[in-house]
Amino acid sequence: MKRRFVLAAMASITAVVLLLLAGINLWNCRETTRRTDRILSSLMEASLTGGEPFKDQEFPPETPFTARFFLVRLDGAGDVLELRLDSISAVSEEKAAGLAQAADRQGGLSGYLDNYRYLASRQETGSVFLFLDVSNELEFMHTLLVISCAVAAVSLLAVFGLLVLFSGRVAAPYVRNAARQKQFITDASHEIKTPLTSISTSADILSMDLKDNEWVANIQKQSARLSRLVTDLVTLSRLDEERPIPEPVRFSLSDTAWEMAEPFSAMAKAKGRHLFSCL
């Protein structure tokens, strides 16, 4: 019962922790991507129309100074027509062209390549790709994932330890009640079997004198039925026992033998025989 309690509680808590872990990281990834796409959309619009980016009030004032991006224009065959690397210094012309051509082969309008988030504008004469450096954002997402997983693992270990520590106290009343019920069923079954055996034996003796008597036959039938019910009850009470062999106890073999033989004394007497007990 303690193991089942610990396993059930740990399964429930683990499911909740995993859902929270997934929810937090997915929400962070979604929000990071949404903010990045807003910056890319503003930069793409300004690049295509010749306007000024980040005019909206929703962008922080430092955005124009922190955004590191580059633009690549490709023709229909995938050859580079234009490169704009003024706003970034860590990317060479070869790398910028390679990233744009890789994004062109993917065929999507947006995505991640290396440490960059890109946005594509596809036209009949070619495509324009705008790449934004999101290395800091990706590092933050990775750090958040690692920290949240570590916190979740430590929390689950702590909860497991507490459950193991307190499961004994929680399960103790149920264990005692279950043990008392099983003991009651065992004792009651034992006590019922003795008079039931006597009734069945007496009915067998009566059937010898009163052959084909429906009342005697009914007593025999119901006695047998009650005996099966008692046996089934004992079997059900022992299904969850871990040890099929009970603990050894001292008892009087003579008393037990006499208790088992005594109900048959009447049948033996009816047949002119005698039962003896060695005490």
Side-chain angles (χ1 to χ4, degrees):
M1 183 176 292
K2 290 169 60 178
R3 287 198 299 269
R4 292 174 182 174
F5 171 77
V6 172
L7 289 176
M10 282 302 301
S12 302
I13 295 173
T14 302
V16 173
V17 170
L18 290 178
L19 286 175
L20 289 175
L21 186 65
I24 291 173
N25 285 276
L26 288 175
W27 177 84
N28 178 64
C29 180
R30 178 178 175 275
E31 287 299 308
T32 301
T33 302
R34 186 179 65 85
R35 290 194 302 269
T36 303
D37 286 345
R38 279 170 38 211
I39 296 174
L40 282 170
S41 298
S42 179
L43 289 170
M44 178 66 78
E45 182 180 358
S47 299
L48 296 177
T49 61
E52 183 180 353
F54 311 123
K55 289 182 178 181
D56 298 336
Q57 297 294 328
E58 60 179 348
F59 293 104
E62 66 274 8
T63 302
F65 306 100
T66 58
R68 295 173 294 172
F69 62 94
F70 62 91
L71 181 142
V72 181
R73 188 185 299 272
L74 302 179
D75 60 14
D79 296 326
V80 178
L81 297 176
E82 181 185 2
L83 282 172
R84 297 182 191 176
L85 306 178
D86 300 336
S87 300
I88 193 168
S89 60
V91 179
S92 63
E93 293 183 357
E94 292 78 7
K95 183 176 182 179
L99 289 173
Q101 290 168 348
D104 188 37
R105 287 193 297 269
Q106 288 184 355
L109 295 178
S110 62
Y112 286 96
L113 278 176
D114 200 2
N115 290 327
Y116 302 92
R117 174 78 175 174
Y118 71 87
L119 183 66
S121 175
R122 300 188 180 273
Q123 305 167 357
E124 295 181 359
T125 58
S127 303
V128 177
F129 293 91
L130 187 65
F131 288 83
L132 180 67
D133 188 344
V134 291
S135 55
N136 292 333
E137 288 78 2
L138 293 176
E139 183 179 357
F140 175 77
M141 286 192 292
H142 180 265
T143 302
L144 178 62
L145 177 62
V146 172
I147 292 176
S148 58
C149 289
V151 171
V154 173
S155 301
L156 289 176
L157 288 176
V159 171
F160 178 76
L162 292 174
L163 286 175
V164 172
L165 181 62
F166 293 107
S167 60
R169 297 182 182 180
V170 174
Y174 302 98
V175 173
R176 287 196 299 269
N177 291 337
R180 290 171 181 173
Q181 290 177 3
K182 290 170 61 177
Q183 187 63 40
F184 172 77
I185 292 174
T186 302
D187 294 344
S189 300
H190 178 73
E191 295 297 329
I192 291 174
K193 279 186 175 181
T194 300
L196 185 60
T197 303
S198 180
I199 293 173
S200 179
T201 303
S202 300
D204 292 339
I205 294 174
L206 287 175
S207 66
M208 297 171 61
D209 297 333
L210 304 174
K211 296 182 179 180
D212 299 329
N213 187 286
E214 60 176 333
W215 303 108
V216 176
N218 186 55
I219 292 174
Q220 291 176 316
K221 179 180 178 181
Q222 297 303 325
S223 298
R225 179 172 178 268
L226 185 57
S227 179
R228 289 194 300 270
L229 290 176
V230 172
T231 302
D232 292 342
L233 190 62
V234 175
T235 302
L236 287 175
S237 68
R238 293 178 177 176
L239 284 179
D240 58 345
E241 289 185 359
E242 296 182 358
R243 294 181 301 175
I245 302 177
E247 295 183 1
V249 294
R250 292 184 176 275
F251 68 99
S252 174
L253 183 59
S254 298
D255 293 343
T256 302
W258 174 252
E259 182 179 354
M260 298 298 295
E262 193 274 335
F264 298 95
S265 60
M267 181 180 293
K269 185 177 181 181
K271 293 183 179 182
R273 299 177 181 178
H274 300 279
L275 290 177
F276 299 95
S277 62
C278 298
L279 301 178

